[in-house]
Every structure is written in structure tokens, then in C-alpha cells.
Amino acid sequence: MEGVTGLVVFTVGVAALATLLILPPGLAVAYALARWDGPGKGVVETVLTLPLVLPPTAVGLVLLELLGRHGPLGRVLDAWGVEVVFTPKAVVLASAVMAFPLLVRSARSGFEEVDPRLVAVARTLGDSRARAFFRVTLPLAWRGVLVGALLAFSRALGEFGATVLVAGNIPGRTQTLSLAIFQRTQLGRDAEALRLAGVAALLAFVAVFATEVVTRRRGQRVRA
């Protein structure tokens, strides 16, 4: 039971940290896409969506090549004495990359629902662009942002493919619930794997149910 508790704590902690990590850049990108209609927008949106449609192992391989000791980012990090690959940092990073598109897509929808005229009024009253964002845009788009954060958290909870390549499956170090289920199955310990799958399903249910509640209320507000 203690081992399961440790896996749950680590997995939830990774998902929460990954969500917090992508929140500032995700909101910035979502807001930019909601307000920008210039050339190349479709290309940017396509690139940001790629982690959702590519095999997760392909994303993990790219991260491994970038962050490995001989990769372009890995060499810089190694010069600073920072090790990422096959560490808990890699688990968080892989989860963040896979969850990022979900946050951006939902938050962008929330920002698009905000009437630009309200922001313009705030600007005419002396608010700076940043102040108008935090005082007007973000409070009005909070449901879309929250749904995006919950979806990102849910995705990070179940991340497997990218994580196993860039972080490995090291018990007590980089092993999450999904990786532990895979390991137990490989070892023929199906009963343990099923118990872990039940715990993972419970966590996913809570996260998705919270998302559905917020989405339903958001839809009622829009219709009103």
C-alpha cells in the first residue's frame, strides 16, 4: 500500500507541476492566437497541435535528442551542471510538452469569448495592456483557462510514451502510475497492474469530472 501511495503522490505531483510550468507560456500563446489573425497563424496552430497527433514516443525521441548530453540543449545544460534526461525533471518536462496543446486550445477559446470592446474601454480609462489583461480579459476567460488547466493536468496524469523514452522507468525515481502498470504487466504481475489501473482510473475520473462540471457551467453562462 505504501508503494501505491508513493506512486500516486509522485504522479499527481508531476501532473500538477507540469500544469503549473506550462500555465504562463500557455496563457501567453493562447491569448496571442486569440487576438492575432496575421499570416502564418495556421502554421503556428498546427505546430502547437503536433504533440496531440504524433505518437508520444516520437515526441519523447525528439526530447531525448534535444536534452541528451550530446544534444543542443543538453550540452548547454551540462555546462551548467544540470542533468535532465532520466531524472524526475524529465518526467515533468515530458508531461508538460504533451499537455501544453490542450491548455492552449481551451484557453484560446476562453479568450476569444471576451468582447474586445471591454478591453478597449479599460485601455481608454488608463489601463496598460498588461493591466487590462489581468483586470478584464483573464477574469472573463477564467472558465476556459480552468478547463484547459484541468485537461492539461488530466493528460499529464496518464502520460507514458514520451516519458518512458526521455525519463526511463526507474522505480522510486521516474516511475509514474502508467509506467508502473506497464512494468507490472511485463513482469506478469497482472493483479498488481489491475489495482494500479483502478487507482489511475479513479484519478482520471476525478480530473475529467471536474473538467465536465466547469465546461457545463461555462456553456450555461455563454447561452445566458
Side-chain angles (χ1 to χ4, degrees), residues 116-136:
R117 291 175 296 182
L118 298 176
V119 180
V121 170
R123 295 297 307 278
T124 60
L125 294 176
D127 283 350
S128 64
R129 189 180 300 274
R131 187 174 176 83
F133 174 81
F134 286 106
R135 292 188 61 188
V136 179

Side-chain angles (χ1 to χ4, degrees), residues 139-187:
L140 291 175
W142 74 268
R143 283 185 175 85
V145 172
L146 181 57
V147 167
L150 289 171
L151 287 173
F153 178 79
S154 302
R155 179 66 184 83
L157 276 177
E159 166 50 31
F160 173 81
T163 303
V164 75
L165 277 179
V166 76
N169 187 7
I170 308 171
R173 181 168 170 81
T174 66
Q175 189 175 76
T176 60
L177 268 173
S178 57
L179 294 173
I181 292 169
F182 174 75
Q183 182 194 52
R184 303 303 195 273
T185 304
Q186 292 292 100
L187 295 174

Side-chain angles (χ1 to χ4, degrees), residues 8-137:
V8 170
V9 170
F10 180 69
T11 302
V12 172
V14 163
L17 187 55
T19 304
L20 290 174
L21 183 67
I22 64 176
L23 201 55
L27 292 184
V29 171
Y31 182 73
L33 290 175
R35 294 290 180 257
W36 174 49
D37 288 317
K41 180 178 179 180
V43 175
V44 173
E45 290 176 330
T46 301
V47 171
L48 291 174
T49 305
L50 284 178
L52 292 179
V53 295
L54 283 173
T57 48
V59 178
L61 180 61
V62 171
L63 290 176
L64 185 61
E65 291 297 320
L66 287 174
L67 297 168
R69 186 158 294 180
H70 301 293
L73 294 179
R75 286 195 295 268
V76 175
L77 293 172
D78 188 54
W80 292 346
V82 178
E83 186 180 359
V84 175
V85 175
F86 301 124
T87 70
K89 299 184 191 72
V91 185
V92 174
L93 183 60
S95 300
V97 169
M98 297 303 297
F100 188 77
L102 292 173
L103 171 63
V104 171
R105 290 167 71 91
S106 183
R108 184 189 65 185
S109 297
F111 290 136
E112 288 174 344
E113 293 171 2
V114 178
D115 191 339
R117 291 175 296 182
L118 298 176
V119 180
V121 170
R123 295 297 307 278
T124 60
L125 294 176
D127 283 350
S128 64
R129 189 180 300 274
R131 187 174 176 83
F133 174 81
F134 286 106
R135 292 188 61 188
V136 179
T137 306

